[in-house]
């Protein structure tokens, strides 16, 4: 499949803003997603953006999409220690044999929030 | 709320054993997916199903098979478990092909 790239680690201080970046390659993606994974848990959908939008805000979360550069970012305002987790960027859906869909995931960014 | 459940959180099996991982969703979703997650490799799609009894291979189907006899249940089968199948297995479902995927809590499988 196409590649989705993310930086592996990010460390911020509590109360600061965090920005997690992602680049993707499939310009036909309909949606772009951010998932959060806490230790030992499954993936929790945080937010998503439709490919014809350039920004979406949801409480402390702001998603920016630059479709020309195929760049997606997630900004977390007033980051808390409870935000420490792995954040996955995903694009999709990608069709297979005209039926069924899956997402392409990045490898995840580990966010560490220090007091 | 969408709920996707997986039969076990942790599982330990021996090499050569047949292993069944079960996933159930309660939202009448058409699509169901099995991924495995490994450090440094992210999530990789093993198999997915877009309807009862229908399945398609993902990126890494070798050593796995699946079964979907009922719409709400999607099973991943390791016919003869091997140590390189030690991993975190994540199930997901979506209402239609273009809808958001919702994930279960994962099963951490160790093959000794």
């Amino acid at each position: 499949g196409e590649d989705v790239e993310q930086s592996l680690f990010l460390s911020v201080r509590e109360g600061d803003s965090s920005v997690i970046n992602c680049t993707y390659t499939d310009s036909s993606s309909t949606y772009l997603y951010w998932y959060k994974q806490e230790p030992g848990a499954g993936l929790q959908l945080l937010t998503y953006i439709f490919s014809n939008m350039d920004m979406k805000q949801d409480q402390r979360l702001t998603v920016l999409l630059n479709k020309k550069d195929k760049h997606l970012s997630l900004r977390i305002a007033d980051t808390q220690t409870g935000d420490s987790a792995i954040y996955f960027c995903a694009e999709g859906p990608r069709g297979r044999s005209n039926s069924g869909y899956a997402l392409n995931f990045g490898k995840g960014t580990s966010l560490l929030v220090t007091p | 709320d969408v709920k996707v459940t997986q039969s076990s959180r942790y599982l330990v099996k021996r090499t050569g054993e047949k292993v069944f991982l079960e996933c159930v969703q309660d939202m009448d979703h058409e699509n169901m997916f099995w991924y495995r997650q490994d450090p440094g490799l992210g999530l990789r799609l093993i198999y997915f199903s877009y309807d009862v009894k229908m399945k398609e291979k993902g990126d890494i189907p070798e050593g796995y098979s699946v079964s979907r006899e009922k719409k709400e249940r999607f099973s991943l089968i390791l016919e003869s478990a091997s140590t390189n199948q030690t991993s975190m297995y994540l199930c997901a479902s979506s209402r239609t092909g273009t809808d958001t995927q919702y994930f279960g809590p994962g099963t951490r499988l160790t093959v000794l």
Side-chain angles (χ1 to χ4, degrees):
Chain A
E2 304 288 343
D3 285 340
V4 177
E5 301 285 341
Q6 302 177 239
S7 54
L8 291 181
F9 299 103
L10 177 66
S11 180
V12 299
R13 288 190 179 276
E14 193 173 19
D16 287 351
S17 292
S18 309
V19 179
I20 303 172
N21 293 301
C22 168
T23 57
Y24 62 97
T25 54
D26 188 351
S27 57
S28 66
S29 293
T30 307
Y31 292 97
L32 294 125
Y33 302 85
W34 285 104
Y35 284 87
K36 175 183 179 182
Q37 185 180 36
E38 295 178 351
L43 272 67
Q44 170 197 351
L45 177 68
L46 272 184
T47 187
Y48 64 92
I49 188 167
F50 191 53
S51 59
N52 69 354
M53 298 169 63
D54 51 21
M55 188 182 94
K56 181 178 180 182
Q57 187 148 4
D58 184 2
Q59 299 182 330
R60 292 190 297 124
L61 305 178
T62 303
V63 178
L64 295 177
L65 175 60
N66 181 329
K67 202 170 179 183
K68 174 176 167 289
D69 295 337
K70 298 190 182 71
H71 182 265
L72 182 74
S73 68
L74 174 70
R75 179 177 180 270
I76 306 173
D78 186 26
T79 315
Q80 303 297 307
T81 53
D83 294 323
S84 292
I86 303 176
Y87 290 80
F88 290 91
C89 167
E91 62 170 351
R94 50 177 169 141
R96 286 183 178 270
S97 305
N98 297 316
S99 55
Y101 299 85
L103 301 181
N104 280 328
F105 285 86
K107 292 182 172 54
T109 299
S110 288
L111 174 66
L112 176 65
V113 183
T114 56
Chain B
D1 280 351
V2 175
K3 194 166 184 184
V4 181
T5 57
Q6 295 184 227
S7 51
S8 306
R9 291 300 304 274
Y10 300 94
L11 209 53
V12 180
K13 296 290 180 182
R14 295 205 175 274
T15 301
E17 280 192 81
K18 190 168 185 175
V19 182
F20 292 87
L21 302 183
E22 302 281 336
C23 175
V24 177
Q25 49 91 6
D26 66 356
M27 288 301 292
D28 201 35
H29 283 178
E30 293 173 6
N31 296 284
M32 296 187 76
F33 308 83
W34 276 107
Y35 295 87
R36 66 177 278 178
Q37 182 182 15
D38 300 288
L41 296 177
L43 274 76
R44 294 179 291 167
L45 180 68
I46 305 171
Y47 264 98
F48 68 91
S49 168
Y50 51 91
D51 202 349
V52 175
K53 297 191 188 296
M54 306 305 286
K55 59 188 179 186
E56 283 205 26
K57 293 179 180 179
D59 298 316
I60 50 162
E62 296 78 18
Y64 303 94
S65 62
V66 290
S67 172
R68 191 157 180 211
E69 296 296 317
K70 293 186 178 181
K71 193 174 186 180
E72 66 271 18
R73 188 180 297 270
F74 192 35
S75 302
L76 180 69
I77 303 154
L78 287 66
E79 295 289 342
S80 177
S82 63
T83 54
N84 63 12
Q85 291 179 310
T86 291
S87 186
M88 171 75 120
Y89 289 87
L90 293 164
C91 174
S93 72
S94 66
R95 186 170 62 89
T96 68
T98 54
D99 275 356
T100 300
Q101 290 185 20
Y102 295 90
F103 282 80
T107 296
R108 186 165 291 284
L109 171 68
T110 302
V111 182
L112 302 175

